[in-house]
Amino acid sequence: MKKRHYIALAIVLAGVAACAWIILHPRQLPVEECGDVFQRYWQVDGVDASFMKDFPVNDTLRLDVTTLQARDSAGWEQLKKDFHLPELPEKSRKKIEKGIDVISIRYAPIADPTAPMDTSCLLENNILGISRLYKTISIFHTHTEAEQDAIIDNQLNISL
């Protein structure tokens, strides 16, 4: 009879330990695993940086994505300066004033997303998705041409 009590106690303790592990286990990646851009911006005033591992782009594609969102106009000015975002024409600015998003995409080198695209090899680039209304820059960390095509299709569908 004592043996059954020990087994029941072991099962209960294992359940409590499993629950404690689930509650206390960190759900975030360590900062060191989040990429250079995230590490550069995660403590910048006026910018919220996030890193999403295996973000679902479509039904079959998951990619790592770094997102930088300006919290205020100073943060947005800093992002525009760092990523060399051109000023929009008057027509596009009026759309944003009406609450309509203006999304643009561009290639940026993997090594330095703030630089102009690497024209020698497209696969040496990530894709940046820029939302002017939400003051957000999303960096899609791509490895193949098919991934780049899927991102471009996805961003075009969002903007239409």
Side-chain angles (χ1 to χ4, degrees):
M1 186 110 21
K2 277 187 168 183
K3 202 172 197 179
R4 277 194 232 170
H5 292 292
Y6 288 126
I7 292 172
L9 181 62
I11 291 171
V12 169
L13 288 176
V16 169
C19 288
W21 183 80
I22 289 170
I23 291 170
L24 298 176
H25 188 275
R27 289 171 178 79
Q28 289 181 305
L29 288 173
V31 172
E32 304 80 42
E33 293 181 32
C34 293
D36 295 337
V37 177
F38 176 82
Q39 291 178 30
R40 188 178 323 156
Y41 286 96
W42 78 290
Q43 291 184 319
V44 171
D45 288 336
V47 176
D48 287 330
S50 60
F51 180 82
M52 295 168 277
K53 187 149 185 76
D54 296 330
F55 176 78
V57 174
N58 59 29
D59 293 341
T60 59
L61 180 61
R62 294 179 171 279
L63 292 175
D64 294 345
V65 179
T66 302
T67 301
L68 306 172
Q69 184 171 25
R71 274 187 255 133
D72 52 31
S73 58
W76 182 235
E77 290 302 319
Q78 181 67 45
L79 289 176
K80 287 188 340 186
K81 179 181 163 221
D82 290 352
F83 287 88
H84 309 288
L85 301 181
E87 287 299 318
L88 291 174
E90 183 66 26
K91 183 178 178 181
S92 296
R93 286 196 301 266
K94 286 184 179 185
K95 282 184 176 180
I96 294 170
E97 289 170 4
K98 293 178 184 177
I100 300 169
D101 201 1
V102 175
I103 295 175
S104 57
I105 55 176
R106 76 171 178 92
Y107 287 95
I110 292 170
D112 182 10
T114 62
M117 76 180 276
D118 181 346
T119 56
S120 64
C121 178
L122 285 182
L123 293 179
E124 294 298 321
N125 293 287
N126 288 321
I127 294 184
L128 273 59
I130 301 139
S131 167
R132 300 293 183 130
L133 179 65
Y134 298 107
K135 298 178 173 83
T136 302
I137 298 174
S138 298
I139 302 163
F140 297 88
H141 304 280
T142 59
H143 306 289
T144 67
E145 191 174 334
E147 291 175 345
Q148 291 179 344
D149 290 344
I151 295 298
I152 291 169
D153 288 345
N154 178 279
Q155 292 299 302
L156 287 174
N157 287 335
I158 290 172
S159 65
L160 295 177

